[in-house]
């Protein structure tokens, strides 16, 4: 078993255990038959279900109490959150907001450095905006560096980004989240940890910059934002972050002497064709860069169309490692790390709780399958036997998950990881009905 670092151990020490009656096969059968002690089971989640939206699906207190998991999240700070709330007072979730904001600022700085609003010209400058040079923390200060003929190193809302050669963060912040008896995220118990290595960042600063003060045609930024579908809980904060970032860029003088223009659109999810229709509309509107999509499956659906048109994509939430080496013509970037980093954080969390057997229920899409495979590989690398970590993939559009839940009950693991979105509530209900979870 991999031993967590002191930082990780401190962050994970408070992990809650859910006491449940053991079900299924194995050595516990005899103990159950004799009416002996109950078994301790841990229930975990990740990103798509570790949010207040999941709790809204339940009315009975305690259904989610003790469920823990990892979320790609930075300590955004009160000031940034308050600025988002000034745009949308109804916000209740903030994850991916910082990544969305930073995507706009990085794009704007790259275009100014290139002296062009054409993605094929400014994309080679994107990585260099995130490392080396003079550290700056907002568009105004970074733009001043560019105007003085310098090289900006943007450390944004989510902190130092330090992109790798393929255009994704070499290091990222994750939050360890837990649910309360009221089925909401316990913000007071939230802990943060860094995963990854900034030494993996690129060293290529890109081409020589254009002359300071170069002007040109307006930079048009489009967005594929999940306003409907399984990730729609991310839509409001992303839209607020997009508007805030564009407002900040324009307040500091814009790009190429022109205000940045914003055109937003719905990405839907991978079960619909909404993203394709929106991408067509954004391209027709003259978008030079598109922020999105959130869903890895959606990004993979439209990436060829967008990059094939010579337009850049920069995602604030697509984490599938399929996108790392994708043939994107050098036009796909993301302000979130690949699932390989979140898998490391999940394995640390699960391992710190001493689980010797782990069951993984993952939705069948690039995000779910990729995160499940990488987490399983990490757990095995940390010392668990290969047959001690079992993954079950499910169809998120299925009418029910009775079969998958029963297989998990029969497996009878020490810990269960559920990787999914809104359908997680039905899976949790099924586990509870079988004695796994607080409502047993």
């Amino acid at each position: 078993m991999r031993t967590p670092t002191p930082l990780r151990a401190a962050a994970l020490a408070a992990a809650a255990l859910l006491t449940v009656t053991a079900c299924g096969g194995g050595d516990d059968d005899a103990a159950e038959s004799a009416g002996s002690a109950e078994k301790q089971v841990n229930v975990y989640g990740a990103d798509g279900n570790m949010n207040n939206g999941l709790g809204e699906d339940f009315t009975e207190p305690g259904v989610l109490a003790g469920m823990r998991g990892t979320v790609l999240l930075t300590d955004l700070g009160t000031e940034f959150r308050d600025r988002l709330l000034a745009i949308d007072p109804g916000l209740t979730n903030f994850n991916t907001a910082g990544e969305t904001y930073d995507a706009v600022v990085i794009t704007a700085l790259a275009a100014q450095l290139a002296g062009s609003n054409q993605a094929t010209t400014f994309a080679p400058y994107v990585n260099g905006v995130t490392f080396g040079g003079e550290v700056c923390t907002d568009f105004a200060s970074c733009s001043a560096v560019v105007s003085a003929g310098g090289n900006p190193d943007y450390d944004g809302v989510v902190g130092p980004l330090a992109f790798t050669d393929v255009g994704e963060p070499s290091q990222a912040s994750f939050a360890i989240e837990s649910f309360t008896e009221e089925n909401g995220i316990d913000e007071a118990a939230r802990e943060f940890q860094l995963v990854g290595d900034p030494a993996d960042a690129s060293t290529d600063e890109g081409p020589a910059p254009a002359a300071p003060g170069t002007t040109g045609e307006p930079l048009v930024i489009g967005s594929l934002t999940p306003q409907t579908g399984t990730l729609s809980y991310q839509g409001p904060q992303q839209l607020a972050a997009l508007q805030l970032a564009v407002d900040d860029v324009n307040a500091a003088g814009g790009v190429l002497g022109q205000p940045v223009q914003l055109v937003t659109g719905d990405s839907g999810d991978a079960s619909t064709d909404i993203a394709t229709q929106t991408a067509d509309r954004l391209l027709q509107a003259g978008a030079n860069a598109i922020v999105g999509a959130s869903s890895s499956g959606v990004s993979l659906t439209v990436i060829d169309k967008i990059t094939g048109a010579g337009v850049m994509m920069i995602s604030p939430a697509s984490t599938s490692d399929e996108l790392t080496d994708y043939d994107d013509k050098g036009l796909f970037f993301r302000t979130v790390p690949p699932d390989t980093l979140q898998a490391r954080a999940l394995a640390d969390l699960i391992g710190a709780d001493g689980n010797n057997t782990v069951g993984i229920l993952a939705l069948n899409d690039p995000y779910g399958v990729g995160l499940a495979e990488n987490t399983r590989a990490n757990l095995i690398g940390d010392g668990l036997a290969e047959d001690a970590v079992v993954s079950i993939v499910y169809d998120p559009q299925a009418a029910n998950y009775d079969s998958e839940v029963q297989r998990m009950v029969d497996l009878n693991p020490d810990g269960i990881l559920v990787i999914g979105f809104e359908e997680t509530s039905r899976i949790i209900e099924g586990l509870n009905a079988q004695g796994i979870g607080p409502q047993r």
Side-chain angles (χ1 to χ4, degrees):
M1 189 75 66
R2 185 174 186 268
T3 302
T5 64
L7 174 64
R8 287 176 178 148
L12 306 178
L17 294 176
L18 307 182
T19 305
V20 304
T21 303
C23 303
D27 295 336
D28 292 313
D29 284 347
E32 287 184 37
S33 298
S36 64
E38 295 178 328
K39 179 179 178 178
Q40 300 276 326
V41 175
N42 297 308
V43 178
Y44 304 94
D47 267 338
N49 51 33
M50 293 302 298
N51 58 73
N52 289 317
L54 179 63
E56 293 172 359
D57 289 343
F58 299 95
T59 58
E60 188 172 359
V63 176
L64 299 177
M67 179 177 174
R68 289 171 61 82
T70 59
V71 174
L72 184 68
L73 185 66
T74 301
D75 188 358
L76 296 174
T78 302
E79 180 182 0
F80 182 72
R81 289 165 66 130
D82 286 347
R83 296 185 71 206
L84 291 174
L85 287 167
I87 293 176
D88 183 353
L91 292 180
T92 58
N93 289 306
F94 296 89
N95 57 316
T96 73
E99 289 82 1
T100 302
Y101 183 95
D102 287 345
V104 172
V105 174
I106 289 169
T107 302
L109 289 170
Q112 187 62 60
L113 282 166
S116 172
N117 71 341
Q118 296 302 303
T120 51
T121 301
F122 68 70
Y125 293 82
V126 169
N127 289 346
V129 168
T130 68
F131 59 81
E134 185 175 344
V135 173
C136 47
T137 57
D138 54 32
F139 179 81
S141 59
C142 290
S143 181
V145 172
V146 175
S147 295
N151 173 26
D153 175 1
Y154 176 61
D155 288 354
V157 174
V158 300
L161 288 153
F163 279 5
T164 63
D165 287 334
V166 296
E168 59 193 25
S170 57
Q171 189 178 43
S173 169
F174 292 91
I176 307 300
E177 302 278 39
S178 58
F179 282 98
T180 66
E181 285 289 335
E182 289 72 39
N183 301 321
I185 294 295
D186 186 354
E187 293 192 17
R190 177 179 291 153
E191 298 284 350
F192 293 94
Q193 73 176 99
L194 286 174
V195 179
D197 189 348
D200 293 334
S202 177
T203 58
D204 182 4
E205 292 279 2
T214 298
T215 60
E217 295 298 312
L219 175 67
V220 180
I221 294 180
S223 78
L224 280 166
T225 304
Q227 299 170 43
T228 60
T230 54
L231 285 176
S232 59
Y233 70 91
Q234 292 184 2
Q237 60 264 37
Q238 287 188 13
L239 288 171
L242 284 163
Q243 190 60 61
L244 180 60
V246 169
D247 288 348
D248 286 351
V249 169
N250 289 341
V255 175
L256 303 173
Q258 303 272 3
V260 171
Q261 299 175 12
L262 176 63
V263 184
T264 62
D266 185 14
S267 65
D269 59 29
S271 68
T272 69
D273 194 42
I274 292 174
T276 301
Q277 298 174 42
T278 300
D280 286 337
R281 179 172 62 82
L282 295 175
L283 294 175
Q284 291 170 4
N288 306 116
I290 294 175
V291 178
S294 285
S295 161
S296 295
V298 171
S299 287
L300 287 163
T301 297
V302 298
I303 188 171
D304 290 338
K305 175 186 291 288
I306 294 171
T307 60
V311 172
M312 189 181 93
M313 288 181 70
I314 181 164
S315 173
S318 291
T319 58
S320 171
D321 55 0
E322 285 187 40
L323 290 160
T324 295
D325 297 318
Y326 195 88
D327 183 12
D328 56 23
K329 302 175 179 61
L331 291 171
F332 178 83
F333 301 86
R334 49 184 166 183
T335 48
V336 292
D339 284 329
T340 48
L341 293 193
Q342 179 154 209
R344 179 67 271 164
L346 273 171
D348 286 342
L349 174 60
I350 294 168
D353 288 343
N355 298 287
N356 292 314
T357 54
V358 178
I360 302 175
L361 282 166
L363 80 162
N364 189 13
D365 80 348
Y367 158 71
V369 173
L371 185 54
E373 290 178 348
N374 283 303
T375 302
R376 181 176 185 274
N378 279 319
L379 288 168
I380 293 170
D382 290 348
L384 292 187
E386 290 196 14
D387 60 358
V389 187
V390 176
S391 292
I392 298 173
V393 175
Y394 66 85
D395 177 3
Q397 304 299 320
N400 64 69
Y401 305 101
D402 296 346
S403 173
E404 291 84 357
V405 167
Q406 187 59 53
R407 288 175 62 191
M408 192 59 60
V409 170
D410 293 341
L411 180 63
N412 188 24
D414 297 331
I416 297 173
L417 168 62
V418 183
I419 302 173
F421 297 113
E422 58 187 12
E423 75 281 353
T424 299
S425 60
R426 289 189 286 154
I427 293 173
I428 294 294
E429 287 174 349
L431 291 172
N432 284 341
Q434 293 282 1
I436 299 178
Q439 298 298 303
R440 58 187 183 277

